Amino acid sequence: MKYLQYITLIFCLALCACNDVIDLYPASNLNTDTYYKTEAEVRTGLNGCYNGLQRPMYREWQFTELRSDNSKQGETGSQSSVNRDLSDLDMFFPSPNNQAIYLYWLDSYNNIYNANIILQKLGVTYDPAAGTNTLGKTDVIVTDSVRKQLAGEALFIRGYHYFNLVRLFGGVFIVHNPVTATEAKGLNRSSVNDMYKIIEADLVTASSFLSAKKVNQIAANDVGRVTRWAAKALLGKVYLTLNRKTDAITQLTDVQTNSGHALQASYANVFSVNTEMNSEIIFAIRYRAGGLGLGSSFGNDFAAASSGATIINGSGQGWNYPTNEFDTAFITTRTPLTYDARRDVNIGFFGANKVPYIKKYISPVVLLNDGESDWPVLRYADVLLLLAEAQGYTPASISLINQIRTRVGLPNLPATVNTVALFEQALSNERRLEFAFENQRHFDLIRFNKTLTTITAEQTIKDHFAKEYAKHYANYPAPRLTLAELQSNVNANRLLLPIPQREIDTNTGLKIEQNPGY
Amino acid sequence: MEKTLRITNVLCKIMRFTYVQMALLVLFGSISYAHDSFSQDILNQPVSINAQSVEIKKILTDIEKQTTAKFIFSNSTIKAAHKITFSAYSERLSLVLTKLLTPLSISYEVVGSRILLKKMDIRTGSVEETSEVVIPEIVKPVQVIAFVVNGTITDETTKEPLVGASIVLEGTNQGTISDENGNFKLELADNEKNGTLVISYVGYEKQSIALEGRTNISIALKEAGTLSEVVVVGYGTQKRSDVTGAVSKFKNERLDEAPVSRLDQALQGKIAGVQIQNISSEAGSTPRIRVRGLSSINAGANPLVVVDGHPVPDGLSFVNAADVESVEVLKDAASAAIYGSRGASGVILITTKGGKASKPNYTVKMSRGVKSAYKLYDIMTASDWVKLLFDEAALKSKDPSVPPLTAIQIAPLEDRAGYVIEQELRGGQSTDWQDVAIRDANVMNVEFGVSGGNKDLKYYVSGSYQNDQGMMIHSEYERFNIRSKIDAQLNKKMKLSFNINPSYIKRERPAELFQDFVRFRSWLPTRLDEKTAAWVSANPLYADLKPGDWSQARYFSGRIYSGTMPDGSAWTSGTAINPFNTANQTPIFSIEQQRITTDDYRALSSGDLTINLFKGLDFKTLASAYTSYSKGLNFSKRDATRAGDVNKGVYDDRINIDLLSESTLNYKQEIKKHSLSLLAGFTAQKTNVKDQRVTGLDYPSDEISTLNTALTVDKSGSFNTINNIGLISYLGRLTYAFDSKYLLAASFRADGSSYFAPGKKWGYFPSVSVGWIASNENFLKTVGWLNNLKFRGSYGASGNNRILDFAFVDLLYNANYPFGPGNGTSTIGQIPSRDVLSNRDITWERTFQYNGGLDLSVVKNAVEVTLDVYQSKTEQLLLRQSTMAFSGVPFTWNNIGSLQNRGVELDITTHNLRRKNFSWSTTANISHNNNKVIELGNEALILNQGERTELYMNKVGAPLVEFLGYKTTGVWVSQAEIDAARADGLNTALTPYFVSGGLKLADINGDKKIDANDRTVIGNPYPDFTWGLTNNIKYAGFDLSFLLQGVQGGDVINGDANYLEIKRTTRIYSKDRWVSPMFPGDGKTPVANVGFQNWLLTDYAVEDASYWTVREVVLGYKIPENWTKRAHLKSLRLYFSAQNLFFNTASGFRALNPEARFSTGPYNTPLIDGYQRGSFPVNKAFLFGIDLNF
C-alpha cells in the first residue's frame, strides 16, 4: 500500500479542481444578467437599438417602392428565385411565405424587443388601457434628465416601428415590454386603433422627454440621435395618416418654426455622402462604409443589372428599377427636353440602352454591400409638404410647395392649379418627385385615401400598371398576367401585406387571423 | 454534491495545480518511484553457488532462494537428469546465468520478476502473456521420469502448427511450450499419466485433454470465436461472453483498403444500428452518423467518439483507419450510461493498435486509385431548351383551344438570345458546366509501420500519408498521421502506456457549389474564343476583351440579338436585352480566383499508469491532452465573385485544448463460481477554445496573400473569442457473474457540466443490465449443435448536454452605430442575440432505454446471430423551439417534450466454408428504427421552414420530422377543367396554381377551399431499414470481400423540382410535361413555369430516397510464401478495391445522390431534415494496392 499517498494526492487534486472546471461564464461576451446597471451601459444598449434600425431597411423598399408607381423588378425574363419573389410583390400577389415579408417583420420586432429592454430597465411602462407611458422605478444609476432623454429615444424607435408595421400589415401584435416565449403565445393581433394608441403615446411621451434644443445646439457626439423634432415630425405624420389634420398641423408647425431645421440650398447636398446629417435631415437611418459592418447594401441592390464594376464595385442586382413613367415624370419641358434637377440625383442610366436605375444611394464602395449613404426617414421638406397636405388647398399650402420647387430651380406652381383636384395632383406629384425612392410613395398613396379627396392608392397603381404594361409586364413569359388580371390584384385588401405564415403556423394554440385576401 | 465540493475549495486555493502540472506529477512521480524495481535490477543481484555434480534444477532452486528471481521452464528444456558442476562467488545473476546456461543451449528472458528459460533455437513468436494463457510457473522436480508425452498443436481450420502454445498439466505447474513446428514433449511421473493437459494459446479457445495414458497426442485448437474475444467497454474491457448490454464490435479487417478518405466512411454499412450517411461525397466531408435513430433534437445527435479513452469531438476525422485495432459501439443506454451526460446518442470507442511481443514487424502499404462521378445530370443545352419550347409551340398550334401565341409566349427573348449565341456565335457548341466542375480524381495512400517488443516493452509506430484529390476542382484532402504507442511493464506492479498521435490535415475546398454549375447557362463559354470575343468587344464597355479571356454573363448583356430560330424563322429582340442577368462571375472564374484552405494540426497524447495495489485491485490514472490548431485561409483575388471586388483574405485560427484527467480503481475477484468486478472513478475534462478571425482587404497583388501587405483590416470580418467548457464526473460500475451463467451489471455516473446554470449543473445516470447464458446450463450442454445461447436485458439512463454554450444566459453582441457629424463615428452598441432566447432553467436531456438481446451460435459456431430490440425515450428535450417572431427573437431554448425510438437490429455471421484453403463467411446486418414524438411541452406540433419556406412538421404521435405540403392529383389539363371545378364550388387564393398545366392541389379537408388547411403529410425522411451485407471469401492466395449496403424507405424533398433554373438545364423535369389541353404529357408533370411561385411544397418535389449499392469490393492476392521468402519478405499481398460499382436508386428519384442532404443554414437542426438540391454526385472509385510485411 505504499502507493496510497499518491492516490490520495491525486484524488485531492482532482476534487479541488471541480468548481473551477464547471463554474464558468462566457469569456467573450457580456450578458444581460449583469449589464444595464449604469447610464453608460444603458446608453450602449440604446445604441444597439439604433443599429437595429438598419436591418428592416433592406426590405422596406420592396413594400413601399416596388408596391407603388415608382419602381419595378426589372428583369422579366429572369427566373431566379429572388427576382420572382420581388415580382410577386411588384404585382401585388405576394405569398404569406414570402421570405422578405417575414424578415422585415422579424427585424422590426427584434428592434422593438431591444427598445423594450431599454424601456424596462429605465422603468418606463405602457398602460394599454389609458394609452400612456409612465415613468416608474429604475435600478439604473442615472439622473432624471438623462433618463428621460434615453427613454425618449427608445420610445421614438418603438413608435417608429409600430407606425411602419400598422401601415404595412394593419393591426398586428402589440408588445410593450420584453415577453417570454410562453407569454407571446397568449397574445393575439390588436386592432388598428390600439396600434395607433401606442404609437401616439410613444411619440407624445418621446417629444415631451426629449430635449428642446434646436438642431444646431445639439452636441456633436449626439448628431444622429432622435430629437424632440424627429418625434414631433413623425407624430405629425401619424396624425395626418389618421386624418387628424389639426393635431398634425400643431406638431408640424412646431417643427417648422422651432427646430432650427431648414432646406438645403441644393437638393443633391441633402443626400450627398459629403454632407450627411445636414440641416434638412430630421431623422435618418445611418450607414457607415469602411469595413465596420455598418455599411448599406442599397448601392449594390439598386445599381443596374449586369453592370459589372462600371456603376459600383461588385455590380448591381437591378432589383429596384424606376418605372419608365416615373422617369418621364421628371420632365419639365418637352421642347427642348429638360428635366427636373432631382432626376439626376435619383436616376442614373447604364449602357448603350440607357437602362434607368436608382442612383440616390450609390457611393463608391470598397467592399460589396458596404455603402455610406444614410437613408433619410424624416426631412424638413417632408414637414413642409405634410403641412401643405394637412392644411389642404390654401395659398399657404401652395407657398409651401413652391418652397420645395424653388430649391430645385422649378417655377412656382402655375395659377392654373386652382382646384382641389389640381392642388392635390400637384401635391402628390411634388411629394413623389421630392421623395423619390425614400420609401414614402406607398405610404403616401395609402394616406391620400384619407387625406385627399381625389386621389386613391388603388387607382394610382392601376393606372401605373396600364402605363407600364406594354413595355414591362407584358414581357413576363409565363405566367403572363393580362392587364385586367394585374389590375384586379390591386384592391383594398392587397394594400396590406399578408401576416407571415410562419407566425400563424408557430402558434398552434391561438388562431391568428390572416389578413383578408391572402 | 456541490456542497461537498465547495469544502475542497480551501485546499484548492492552497494548491493551484493546473491539469498539466497535475498530469505530469502523476506520471513522472510514479515513474521515478517505480525505478527501483526495474526488471534489469533482478539480474544485478549477487549470487553465490558451489555445486558439484548437482541437478541443474537444484541449482536454479538455489538461486531462487538467494534472490527475488523465479524461473520458468519446461521439462523438455531442462533435462532433469543432467548434472553439472558449477561455482560462482557473489557474482551478478546475469553473469551466472550466462555461464551456467549457454553451454546447455538455453537462453533466458526476464518477464517481470520471472526468468523464462528457453531452448535457444526456439522462436517464441508472438506468445503473449495474458490471463488467457497459462504459463507454467514453477516446475515441480520430477521424481521418476516414467512417462513422456509427445504431441503437436495445430490450428483446427488451417492445420498450421501453432508455435509457443502453452501445455500445462492440470493442477500442477508442470508444463512446456510448443516449438516452431508446433511440437512439444512433456516428461511426467508415472502417476501422472492419467492427468489432464490444458492447452492454451492467444486468440484460441482453451482446451483440456485427458491423457488416459496416451503418449502421443495431436491437439487442434479452435480459433476463439466472438465469445472469448475481448470487447472494449467504457473505462475497461469485458469478455464478449460477459457483456450484458448492446455493444457492437468491429475488428479492423482492412478498413484502410476501402477507397474512402475517412474512418467513418469506411464503417458504413458494417455495424447494425449505426447509420452512416454520406450527406456530401466531397473529399474529406464528414458523414452523418446516427446510432439507433435520433435521440435528440437540438443537442447534437452525433455519437460521442472516444479515442483510446479520450472523448474527442472529431475523433473519426483524424484517426488513420490502418491504426485502428477495433471499433466498438455502445448502443444501449446501459452500456453508454458510464459516459453519462454524453452517451445518449451512442458512444463509438476507437481502440488503436499496440505493439506485440515479437521481433520487429514492418508493414508497408501503398495504394493508388481514381475516383469519378457515378452519374451526372442529363443536361439540356440552351439550344435544346429553345427547341423544346418551339416543339411545344408547334404542338400548341395544332390545338384549337390554344389562342395564337405571341413570340414571347413561344420562347422568352433571353432564351432565344441564348439559342442564337449557341447556334450562331459558338457554331453549335455549348458548355457542360458539370464537366467543368467535375474531374476524375486521384487518390493515394501510403502507410508504414513497425511494431514489436518484448514482454516488458512493446511499441507500435506508424506513419501514413493520404491524398484524395476530390472530384470537384479545387478540392483536395491530404492527411499525414504519426502514431506511436508504447506499453511498458515497469515492474510486476506497474504498467505504463504512452501514446502520441500527431496528425496534419490539409484541405482545400472549392469556393463554389456544384449546384451552381448545374444550373449555369450552357451558351456561355468559359473563355472567349475569336468569334465570341469579337461579339462582346463590340460593346464599348468591353472593348478590351480578347480571345482567351474569361467570359462573363454580363459581357453578353445590353445587346440586340437576332438570328434564326429552330423553326427557321428570323427573329430579333428589337431592343437591347440581357440574356442572363447575374451580378456574379461565372462559377469557374470564381472558383479559380479563390483559395479556401485549412491546415489542421492535431495531437492526441496520453499517458496512463496502472498500479496493482494488491491482488485484483488496480489503480489506473490517465492524463490526456487533445490539442488542435486549425488555420484557415480564404483568399479571393480581385473581381473574384463580382466585378470590382477588392482582393480579400480571411484568416481563421482556432486553438482547441482539451485536457482530460481520469483516475479509476478496478477490482476483480473470482471466488469459486463467483466472479466480481468493481470500478470506481473520477474524471475531469476541460476544454478551451480560442477562435480568431482577421479579414484583410486590398492587397497590392493577388500573388501575395499575407496580411502584412493588406491595406486595411475589415473590422466587421474580424473577431476573437474564447470559450471554456468543463465537465467533471464520478463513475462506478459493478459486474457480477455466477457460474458463468448468470450475469449482472450496474453502473452509475454523476456529471457536472458548465453548460448549465448554477443549480442545474449536475445530472445522474444509472443503469442496470442482466444476462443469462442458457447454453451453460446443464440441460443445454448436452445439445451438441448449440454453442452459445445468451439472453440479455438492460435498462439505463444516459444524457445529452451538447447545446449552445451558455444557453442559460442571454449574451450581448456588438451592434454599433455611427453617431456624430459628417459620416459619423462608429460608436459601441450592444444588443442581445437576435437568434435565440436564453432559458435559465435548461438542463440535461435524458434518454431512458430498454434493451433486450439474444446471442446465439450454433453448429460449431458456424452461424452466429445477435438480435437486439430496444425502446428508448428521451425526456426534457433540449429544444431550440420556434417562438412567435413578434416576441423579438424567433427561437428559444427549452427542455420540453419527449421522443421515442424503437427498433430492432439483427446481425448474422455465417461461416459457410471453413477449409484450409477455402473459406467463405458472410456477415449481414439489418436494422430498423422508428421514432415518434411523445410530447412537445404544451404544443401539439411545431412547424419549421427550410430555405424555400417548405415546411417541416414535428407533431406529437408522429415521426419527428414530416414534410407538410399539398398533395397533388396530376395537373389541370385544361381551363375547362378548372372552370368546371370552380363551378362546382372550388375556390382558392392560390391562383397561380389554378391554370391549365398547373399542379392540381388536393382538397384534403373537403371544404372546397384550397388553402393552408389542406396541407398534409407528404413524406418523412426516415428510412424503414438500413442494411449491409459483407462476404469474405478466401481461396488459396486469393481473398475477396464485397459489401452491399442499402437504405430502404425514407423520402427526400428534391429542391431541384422547384428551381426553374435547374428545370431548364436538366432534361428530366421537362420530359412529358403538360403542353396544352390536347397534349397534356403524362398528366403528372406540370407546365414549365406555372405553379412554383412562392415555392409551395407539393408532393411533386418529394421523392423516394431508397437505394442500394455495391459499396465496396476488395480482391486480394497473396504471393506464395516460397516466393516472398526469397525476397526476405514475410508476406506480400496485392489488392484491388472498388467503391460503388453499382448504385441503384428508387424509380421516382430524379436527382443524383439519394444520400445527399442539406445540413447547414436552416437545415442545421434535426427538426428540419430531408432536403437536397443540386446534389453532389455519388462517386465511383477504383484502387490498386500493395501490402507488404517484412
Side-chain angles (χ1 to χ4, degrees), chain B residues 55 97 142 318 322 414 422 499 506 559 571 606 679 729 757 761 778 980 1044 1084 1125:
Chain B
E55 273 179 42
L97 288 178
V142 176
F318 73 92
E414 291 80 3
E422 209 161 88
N499 211 335
K506 188 178 163 76
R559 301 293 295 276
W571 164 80
S606 66
L679 168 83
S729 323
K761 287 189 188 293
N778 290 334
L1044 308 182
K1084 286 182 249 168
K1125 261 188 183 158

Side-chain angles (χ1 to χ4, degrees), chain A residues 6 14 28 58 62 83 105 113 131 133 136 143 177-178 181 202 206 208 217 224 255 262 286 300 423 464 499-500:
Chain A
Y6 285 90
S28 303
Y58 294 125
Q62 303 184 16
N83 284 350
W105 173 278
Y113 165 67
N133 284 300
T143 65
N177 52 356
D202 284 356
S208 74
Q217 296 167 337
V255 179
R286 306 193 66 187
N300 290 102
F423 165 76
H464 142 75
I499 303 294

Side-chain angles (χ1 to χ4, degrees), chain A residues 14 16 20 22 28 30 32-33 47 51 75 81 88 110 185 223 273 286 288 291 305 314 317 479-480 503, chain B residues 12 16 409 581 642-643 682 714-715 722 810 812 816-817 820 822-824 828 840 885-886 888 939 948 1093-1094:
Chain A
C16 90
D20 278 8
I22 61 170
S28 303
L30 296 161
T32 48
D33 278 14
N47 292 349
N51 175 289
E75 296 285 322
S81 49
D88 288 350
N110 177 255
K185 290 213 167 148
V223 171
V273 293
R286 306 193 66 187
R288 181 78 170 87
Q317 300 280 12
R480 195 178 59 146
E503 208 71 331
Chain B
C12 189
R16 281 213 169 263
Q409 284 171 324
N581 168 35
R642 295 183 176 194
F682 167 82
D714 177 10
K715 174 77 175 59
I722 299 174
D810 276 316
L812 292 168
N816 304 340
Y817 193 75
N823 291 340
I828 185 85
R840 182 158 298 274
F886 71 73
E939 324 237 357
R948 280 293 156 198
Q1093 284 91 348
N1094 309 329

Side-chain angles (χ1 to χ4, degrees), chain B residues 790-1058:
Chain B
K790 181 164 84 171
F791 297 95
R792 293 175 278 113
S794 77
Y795 179 69
S798 54
N800 197 338
N801 67 348
R802 277 172 289 170
I803 48 166
L804 192 81
D805 307 329
F806 303 110
F808 62 86
V809 59
D810 276 316
L811 301 187
L812 292 168
Y813 296 90
N814 274 28
N816 304 340
Y817 193 75
F819 288 110
N823 291 340
T825 309
S826 179
T827 311
I828 185 85
Q830 295 269 306
I831 52 168
S833 162
R834 295 177 200 274
D835 304 322
V836 58
L837 213 56
S838 73
N839 182 343
R840 182 158 298 274
D841 293 330
I842 59 160
T843 184
W844 311 92
E845 197 169 271
R846 302 226 291 172
T847 299
F848 301 91
Q849 190 181 62
Y850 293 97
N851 188 82
L854 168 79
D855 298 320
L856 173 71
S857 35
V858 295
V859 202
K860 294 183 179 175
N861 295 326
V863 179
E864 294 170 280
V865 178
T866 298
L867 176 72
D868 275 287
V869 293
Y870 60 89
Q871 174 171 328
S872 75
K873 196 173 166 196
T874 306
E875 293 185 342
Q876 7 185 85
L877 286 170
L878 289 169
L879 189 70
R880 186 165 168 269
Q881 187 184 9
S882 290
T883 58
M884 305 305 291
F886 71 73
S887 69
V889 185
F891 299 99
T892 183
W893 285 113
N894 215 340
N895 276 118
I896 58 162
S898 75
L899 187 64
Q900 174 189 282
N901 277 279
R902 276 177 171 173
V904 51
E905 295 156 3
L906 177 66
D907 268 291
I908 299 178
T909 300
T910 58
H911 299 280
N912 311 327
L913 275 174
R914 286 196 278 203
R915 302 222 179 103
K916 186 175 178 183
N917 269 326
F918 192 13
S919 70
W920 171 30
S921 67
T922 307
T923 307
N925 70 72
I926 181 163
S927 23
H928 161 73
N929 179 75
N930 85 47
N931 71 45
K932 191 163 96 177
V933 179
I934 302 291
E935 187 215 319
L936 286 171
N938 297 321
E939 324 237 357
L941 57 92
I942 297 176
L943 293 174
N944 303 282
Q945 289 187 351
E947 67 166 3
R948 280 293 156 198
T949 69
E950 77 279 5
L951 278 177
Y952 301 83
M953 177 168 72
N954 322 119
K955 188 178 165 190
V956 172
L960 178 60
V961 173
E962 290 180 311
F963 309 146
L964 186 66
Y966 294 88
K967 276 212 164 92
T968 60
T969 51
V971 299
W972 293 107
V973 170
S974 64
Q975 187 59 40
E977 201 185 356
I978 297 170
D979 294 343
R982 286 198 189 273
D984 195 33
L986 194 71
N987 69 82
T988 181
L990 296 162
T991 44
Y993 279 76
F994 277 66
V995 292
S996 27
L999 284 168
K1000 210 189 270 181
L1001 307 179
D1003 180 18
I1004 294 294
N1005 63 3
D1007 66 353
K1008 301 236 166 183
K1009 186 167 188 266
I1010 308 281
D1011 58 12
N1013 297 324
D1014 291 304
R1015 294 174 303 187
T1016 184
V1017 173
I1018 53 173
N1020 80 60
Y1022 307 111
D1024 302 325
F1025 293 100
T1026 56
W1027 57 271
L1029 175 74
T1030 310
N1031 276 288
N1032 285 304
I1033 299 167
K1034 278 183 188 165
Y1035 177 72
F1038 291 95
D1039 60 88
L1040 171 70
S1041 81
F1042 57 94
L1043 162 69
L1044 308 182
Q1045 184 258 329
V1047 167
Q1048 184 58 44
D1051 303 307
V1052 63
I1053 298 176
N1054 179 3
D1056 289 354
N1058 275 2

Side-chain angles (χ1 to χ4, degrees), chain A residues 72-86:
Chain A
K72 65 192 180 194
Q73 187 284 114
E75 296 285 322
T76 51
S78 169
Q79 294 178 342
S80 90
S81 49
V82 184
N83 284 350
R84 296 199 68 94
D85 281 356
L86 292 171

